[in-house]
Amino acid sequence: MINVRKSFFSLFGLYLIFSNGECCIDDGCYLPKPNITLKAINDKQTLVVSWLVKRSSFVGDIYEIELSRTEQHTVIYTTNVSVSPGGSAEYTWTWISDLPLECVDHSVRMRYYNQSVQSPWSNWITNSGVKANDKSQIFPSNRVLRQGSSAMFCCIPPTGVNVKRMTFRNKEYRLLSIGGGVKAITVNNLTIPEGIIKHLILSCDDATGKSVHVSNYISFPPQKPRNLSCVTFDMVSVTCTWDSPRKQLPFDRNVQIYTLHIENSDKAPFPCEQSSCTFPAVPHQQDYNISVWVKDKLGEEMERYSFNISDRVFPVVKSLRVNRGVTGATVSWSMQESLTHMNLICQVATVPLGTMELRCNNIMSSFCDAKLEHLVPNTKYNVRVRCTVNGRLWGEWAEGSFTTDLLVSLDLWRRIQPLSNSRTRQVTLMWKPRIAGTAATINIQEYTVQWSQEGQTESKNSSVGQAVMSIGPGKCDFTVQALLPSGTSIPANITIPPAEHKENLPVQKRLDSTSEGGFNLTWEEQSTATCGYVVEWCMLGNAVPCTLQWNVPEENNALFLHASEFQAGNRYTFYIYGCTDNGHRLLEMQTGYSQEFKSVQRPSLVEPVQSTSSSVTLEWHYNEDDPAQPAFIMGYLVTVQEVGSVLLPDRSNVSVADPHMKFVTIEGLKENTEYTCSVSALTKEGPGLPASITFRTKINYSSLILKVLTPIFLLMGCTVLLWSQVKIVRSGLKEIFIYPAGMNIKTPEFEGFLHETDQWLQSQKPEECISCDIEILNGRPSLNEITALRDSELMNEPCSPSLQSSLSSSSPSCMLLEANYCPQLATLPWDRPASQQVTSLMNRSYLYTLKEGYSEPPKVVFSETKSSFETSDCPLESCGVIYGYIANDSL
């Protein structure tokens, strides 16, 4: 087995010797040194390594590549590259450096492995960096850099000079040592400056004080085209368009180059604009596969598109023309002759008529046409035309405009005025040109008026809108025409009825205006009106003089007149005529205001005012039908107010609904009172200006007499009724007003006594009344004894020496009952014995009063009663007058 293995290796070694030029020596087999080439692309900071690969071996080779910087060959990158077996070919490997290649030397070497056999390293292949002479140099310089990327900038000083500082956009960065005195900085996220020139300044200062500056530009890489499409207008050339996601800014140094390639043909690439490209169609080729490339200093992008040229036809309308008429027009246009054999469909759009579609397959001619009908005369129209092939892709609109020819008619009216003492009539014809459409006003040169009566025809010309003629009493026909630069207008006809034709005036109707102040006239349609209607009115309403206006309605029984034609506060009367074979006949009269005002005239009050003690009758004069009034009179408002007071409730305002009724009676007024009355005319907008008058109601004498006589008659009646009872009444009054005989009561003393008693009673607390009865039994002494006893006892009276003064002053200690007083409650029973007399006394404590100055009533230690039988006016002869003093301890 070992021998077999040795034999295999021997044979394999011979194969390698003869096939690859490899040599074997005593200590084993070896591979030759690789031969490589190096290419540097400085603006892209790229190194491209190339070598020749022999692919005759059964197994692939592995190549080891090393990159170094500076003259000391400091290795900065190592990689292995596998190459598959195959035929001989040149193989390339690319490396992109983060540092500009101009900064330092970059060297590359290689060796490869074939199974376990390793070749020797190739020689170092060096891309030399830039050497500075008298001043420093900065890289990269004047280069377009990618937006958003990171970049390294280096500064190469002269030999023996050190780099002191590097700044980017006036900002100093930390220096990195690259080798050989070269310094570098790293800047992250590069942004596009806001100035017009999108450049950034980089500076480098060395130890000698010298400074260098360079500029670099920031831009974005190319964008892939979007919405790529192609069309042909004539099947001869093809135009392709696309959109760029991002447009380049002005003064951008990153110039983009666009090219179009037809991939299924041998045509060379076509240079293009930034968003479009036109190239000639390939004869007899229907299908196209194209690609659009965009390249710049930061890269390239590409987009592909495929189409059939027959499906991308975009017809173009040329030579659009219009042959106009009064109510119609003919539109014509031309197409490319190369498209006339195709299925062309065109659209003609006219505003506001709409769009019509037609086929345009005229092989003999490249022109197409379409007829437009039902147009309005003297009106401007806009027309557009576009076409398509097979209805797949519509071309652009071709636009034009035209104005239809003039159509002028006349609104004709008349005014008939009979001449005095003659059968001749004066006819004034008036007309207004009516121009159909919306175009500008035309120039009418002259008018021709022609009339015929009783077989005779006459004519005259007029340069204004009216003419005056004298005609006879018979029927007369008039015709008026306008002379235009392009011809004449439509003739206008009107008939004047015979003079003996009389019309009955219809009843005048009131007309309400619209909310905007205009008039909406309506009337009953008449079968006799065979040629229309005419509405006539005066411009200033019913004021004199009348400037006649008229209108020929387009409808048979309605006409709307705008508010701008009328003045507020003016009354307008509209006369509606129907046109018949024998002339115009008056059908209706309607009157109204565009806007009513309440400032109507004041009524004229009739004086003197007719009044009574409780009512007043007002009367006034007023012309409610006066056409000069600024509103219709709906009635009257009468206001009554008492002078110096507010309005009377419920009866202060009285409305009169009938404008022809000009008097009113107001009831319920006060007699002999002054009132103010005002009368104003009522309109739809409210009351107008008032007319006022002041009057006074009369005195009601019958009521006054009744008030005086009523109490007199009542008194007389009472007197008659009470005359029969006069004695009873007299005794009752005597008992009330007359005191008993014998009492000498002075009026002032009695009044003082009553006043003091009243004061005392008010000061007492409410309590139960205490009374007592006293019966005294004694023998009836003789009159002499009684007299003597009375005299002696009076002399020995226990009262104080000032008793007389006390009694006269009504002392509260004791009260002397005055003589000759007979108590009404005292009774003398006649059945008692003669020797005894019973005297009954009631407690009369309520008659006493306290004298001012005493805190409590004085005490009395005894009481004594004396009686006397003196002659008195008592009704009872046996009555005795009792004198006595009663202690008021209980008071």
Side-chain angles (χ1 to χ4, degrees):
M1 188 67 183
I2 297 174
N3 295 330
V4 173
R5 185 179 298 173
K6 289 182 179 180
S7 300
F8 173 77
F9 279 112
S10 300
L11 293 174
F12 182 72
L14 292 174
Y15 168 77
L16 292 176
I17 292 172
F18 292 103
S19 62
N20 295 330
E22 299 166 348
C23 300
C24 291
I25 53 177
D26 295 338
D27 56 354
C29 193
Y30 69 95
L31 299 177
K33 187 185 298 185
N35 186 19
I36 63 175
T37 59
L38 181 63
K39 179 182 178 181
I41 305 175
N42 291 334
D43 56 348
K44 295 184 178 181
Q45 300 181 184
T46 301
L47 290 175
V48 179
V49 181
S50 303
W51 68 92
L52 188 62
V53 178
K54 294 184 179 180
R55 302 182 181 273
S56 57
S57 59
F58 295 101
V59 295
D61 296 334
I62 297 176
Y63 293 86
E64 182 181 2
I65 301 174
E66 286 185 350
L67 283 95
S68 65
R69 281 178 180 164
T70 70
E71 296 176 353
Q72 289 74 24
H73 296 294
T74 302
V75 177
I76 59 172
Y77 185 77
T78 300
T79 186
N80 294 327
V81 178
S82 297
V83 179
S84 301
S88 300
E90 186 180 22
Y91 192 84
T92 60
W93 175 80
T94 302
W95 176 74
I96 299 176
S97 173
D98 56 352
L99 184 70
L101 299 181
E102 297 92 341
C103 296
V104 291
D105 295 343
H106 288 78
S107 301
V108 180
R109 70 175 181 175
M110 177 196 300
R111 65 180 177 181
Y112 64 96
Y113 300 87
N114 194 301
Q115 294 184 351
S116 61
V117 180
Q118 174 181 295
S119 72
W121 286 103
S122 67
N123 297 327
W124 286 103
I125 305 299
T126 301
N127 179 64
S128 301
V130 176
K131 305 298 181 181
N133 295 324
D134 54 346
K135 64 177 182 178
S136 301
Q137 294 191 38
I138 300 176
F139 293 97
S141 176
N142 293 323
R143 189 176 298 174
V144 177
L145 305 178
R146 183 188 294 264
Q147 179 188 11
S149 64
S150 298
M152 291 188 68
F153 300 92
C154 69
C155 180
I156 306 173
T159 304
V161 178
N162 293 327
V163 176
K164 182 179 179 181
R165 181 177 60 180
M166 292 183 67
T167 58
F168 180 77
R169 302 185 70 174
N170 297 325
K171 179 181 178 181
E172 184 176 353
Y173 284 76
R174 185 174 63 88
L175 297 177
L176 302 176
S177 181
I178 303 301
V182 178
K183 304 294 182 181
I185 60 173
T186 300
V187 179
N188 298 318
N189 190 20
L190 297 175
T191 58
I192 299 177
E194 296 181 356
I196 297 178
I197 306 300
K198 311 301 180 182
H199 68 283
L200 298 175
I201 305 299
L202 180 67
S203 301
C204 177
D205 299 333
D206 58 22
T208 62
K210 293 181 179 181
S211 179
V212 293
H213 309 277
V214 295
S215 296
N216 289 282
Y217 303 93
I218 310 299
S219 185
F220 56 88
Q223 307 292 304
K224 187 175 184 178
R226 297 185 307 180
N227 302 325
L228 177 59
S229 64
C230 299
V231 296
T232 179
F233 301 101
D234 51 9
M235 297 293 289
V236 177
S237 61
V238 179
T239 299
C240 298
T241 58
W242 58 88
D243 297 330
S244 179
R246 187 174 181 182
K247 299 293 184 181
Q248 277 193 311
L249 299 175
F251 307 103
D252 195 335
R253 294 296 185 93
N254 186 23
V255 179
Q256 294 181 344
I257 299 175
Y258 291 84
T259 56
L260 186 145
H261 301 256
I262 303 177
E263 297 180 351
N264 58 342
S265 73
D266 55 355
K267 298 291 184 179
F270 299 97
C272 304
E273 301 294 332
Q274 187 174 1
S275 58
S276 64
C277 191
T278 301
F279 61 93
V282 179
H284 309 295
Q285 182 172 338
Q286 292 291 317
D287 296 323
Y288 289 81
N289 298 325
I290 65 170
S291 61
V292 177
W293 291 79
V294 51
K295 299 180 180 180
D296 60 15
K297 296 178 180 180
L298 298 178
E300 63 182 10
E301 285 290 346
M302 180 268 294
E303 177 69 321
R304 287 188 171 89
Y305 179 69
S306 299
F307 63 93
N308 186 296
I309 191 172
S310 297
D311 297 335
R312 305 302 301 172
V313 179
F314 196 80
V316 177
V317 175
K318 300 186 298 181
S319 303
L320 181 62
R321 293 179 295 181
V322 178
N323 184 16
R324 68 186 185 185
V326 176
T327 59
T330 300
V331 182
S332 61
W333 63 94
S334 64
M335 304 294 298
Q336 289 286 343
E337 294 182 1
S338 57
L339 303 179
T340 55
H341 65 283
M342 306 183 74
N343 185 20
L344 277 175
I345 301 175
C346 296
Q347 288 181 341
V348 180
T350 305
V351 179
L353 297 181
T355 302
M356 60 182 297
E357 191 171 289
L358 69 157
R359 293 187 177 274
C360 186
N361 296 323
N362 191 351
I363 301 177
M364 302 301 296
S365 173
S366 60
F367 281 91
C368 299
D369 56 48
K371 291 184 178 181
L372 304 178
E373 298 178 344
H374 308 294
L375 304 181
V376 179
N378 196 31
T379 301
K380 182 179 180 180
Y381 290 90
N382 295 322
V383 62
R384 301 187 302 168
V385 179
R386 67 175 182 176
C387 298
T388 182
V389 175
N390 299 323
R392 295 174 181 173
L393 189 64
W394 286 96
E396 294 287 346
W397 287 104
E399 298 184 356
S401 62
F402 65 95
T403 301
T404 51
D405 291 339
L406 295 174
L407 180 63
V408 179
S409 60
L410 300 177
D411 286 342
L412 182 60
W413 190 233
R414 85 291 186 275
R415 175 183 290 175
I416 305 173
Q417 183 178 359
L419 298 179
S420 59
N421 302 324
S422 174
R423 299 184 62 189
T424 305
R425 295 175 294 172
Q426 181 176 292
V427 176
T428 302
L429 291 182
M430 299 160 287
W431 57 85
K432 295 181 292 187
R434 177 184 293 181
I435 304 172
T438 58
T441 305
I442 62 172
N443 181 24
I444 298 178
Q445 298 175 347
E446 197 176 26
Y447 297 95
T448 299
V449 181
Q450 184 177 4
W451 67 96
S452 61
Q453 187 178 31
E454 298 177 355
Q456 296 182 357
T457 302
E458 298 183 44
S459 64
K460 64 182 298 186
N461 295 333
S462 176
S463 59
V464 295
Q466 70 176 16
V468 179
M469 287 77 59
S470 295
I471 62 173
K475 177 182 176 182
C476 185
D477 295 324
F478 285 90
T479 300
V480 181
Q481 272 187 306
L483 299 179
L484 307 174
S486 58
T488 60
S489 66
I490 299 175
N493 301 307
I494 193 169
T495 299
I496 306 300
E500 61 270 12
H501 176 74
K502 302 295 182 182
E503 292 191 65
N504 296 324
L505 293 178
V507 178
Q508 193 175 90
K509 300 179 182 179
R510 284 195 176 182
L511 178 66
D512 292 330
S513 63
T514 63
S515 58
E516 293 80 11
F519 291 102
N520 193 5
L521 300 174
T522 58
W523 57 88
E524 293 184 4
E525 189 172 353
Q526 301 291 332
S527 59
T528 57
T530 58
C531 48
Y533 299 87
V534 174
V535 178
E536 176 189 88
W537 71 94
C538 293
M539 181 181 295
L540 298 179
N542 294 341
V544 179
C546 173
T547 303
L548 192 64
Q549 295 291 315
W550 73 97
N551 191 294
V552 180
E554 296 182 359
E555 300 182 17
N556 288 333
N557 62 340
L559 174 63
F560 175 75
L561 298 175
H562 198 270
S564 60
E565 303 179 14
F566 303 95
Q567 294 182 3
N570 285 354
R571 182 183 298 184
Y572 293 88
T573 301
F574 300 93
Y575 301 88
I576 302 172
Y577 293 87
C579 179
T580 65
D581 295 337
N582 293 323
H584 289 78
R585 185 171 66 89
L586 181 62
L587 303 178
E588 290 187 17
M589 295 171 58
Q590 299 182 14
T591 182
Y593 295 86
S594 63
Q595 182 181 352
E596 296 187 42
F597 294 148
K598 65 179 182 179
S599 56
V600 295
Q601 301 173 4
R602 305 174 190 266
S604 176
L605 290 171
V606 176
E607 297 185 25
V609 175
Q610 300 177 9
S611 64
T612 65
S613 60
S614 63
S615 66
V616 64
T617 299
L618 296 177
E619 187 177 357
W620 58 90
H621 298 297
Y622 199 74
N623 186 4
E624 64 277 4
D625 297 324
D626 186 1
Q629 295 279 17
F632 287 122
I633 305 302
M634 313 296 293
Y636 304 95
L637 178 65
V638 182
T639 302
V640 181
Q641 180 180 1
E642 185 177 343
V643 175
S645 66
V646 297
L647 295 178
L648 293 176
D650 300 332
R651 301 191 181 187
S652 58
N653 293 331
V654 178
S655 296
V656 179
D658 186 2
H660 300 285
M661 180 178 177
K662 300 167 188 174
F663 68 91
V664 67
T665 300
I666 300 174
E667 304 285 348
L669 303 181
K670 299 177 183 179
E671 62 173 324
N672 195 24
T673 304
E674 191 173 13
Y675 290 93
T676 298
C677 291
S678 63
V679 180
S680 57
L682 281 177
T683 68
K684 185 175 68 174
E685 301 297 326
L689 300 175
S692 301
I693 191 172
T694 301
F695 67 93
R696 178 178 292 274
T697 54
K698 298 180 180 180
I699 300 176
N700 190 353
Y701 291 100
S702 60
S703 175
L704 180 61
I705 294 173
L706 182 62
K707 290 179 182 180
V708 173
L709 294 181
T710 298
I712 295 176
F713 289 148
L714 289 176
L715 182 58
M716 293 176 64
C718 292
T719 303
V720 171
L721 293 175
L722 295 176
W723 185 257
S724 61
Q725 305 294 331
V726 63
K727 292 183 179 181
I728 298 174
V729 174
R730 182 184 298 173
S731 62
L733 293 175
K734 185 176 181 180
E735 292 178 359
I736 295 174
F737 297 104
I738 301 176
Y739 53 84
M743 293 185 64
N744 185 17
I745 299 176
K746 295 180 179 181
T747 300
E749 294 178 357
F750 183 70
E751 290 179 354
F753 167 74
L754 291 178
H755 176 72
E756 292 176 357
T757 303
D758 179 67
Q759 295 295 325
W760 177 81
L761 289 175
Q762 292 182 2
S763 65
Q764 301 303 308
K765 296 182 178 178
E767 59 184 6
E768 296 182 0
C769 181
I770 301 175
S771 63
C772 61
D773 295 337
I774 302 174
E775 292 185 357
I776 302 173
L777 299 177
N778 59 353
R780 185 179 180 91
S782 61
L783 183 59
N784 296 331
E785 292 178 350
I786 293 172
T787 305
L789 178 60
R790 182 191 64 182
D791 296 338
S792 62
E793 288 177 354
L794 287 173
M795 295 301 294
N796 299 324
E797 186 65 37
C799 291
S800 60
S802 59
L803 175 62
Q804 298 300 327
S805 62
S806 302
L807 291 175
S808 62
S809 61
S810 301
S811 171
S813 63
C814 57
M815 177 65 70
L816 176 63
L817 297 179
E818 205 168 322
N820 300 326
Y821 172 71
C822 181
Q824 295 180 3
L825 297 180
T827 60
L828 295 176
W830 301 109
D831 57 348
R832 286 186 178 272
S835 62
Q836 292 182 353
Q837 177 66 42
V838 178
T839 301
S840 178
L841 297 178
M842 297 290 291
N843 185 6
R844 304 290 179 175
S845 61
Y846 59 89
L847 293 177
Y848 296 105
T849 182
L850 293 175
K851 187 176 182 181
E852 295 181 3
Y854 290 91
S855 61
E856 61 182 14
K859 297 181 180 180
V860 178
V861 296
F862 67 94
S863 64
E864 185 174 353
T865 303
K866 295 185 179 182
S867 63
S868 174
F869 293 93
E870 296 180 354
T871 304
S872 68
D873 293 334
C874 278
L876 300 177
E877 295 179 356
S878 61
C879 178
V881 178
I882 306 300
Y883 293 88
Y885 304 93
I886 301 175
N888 54 359
D889 295 340
S890 62
L891 297 176

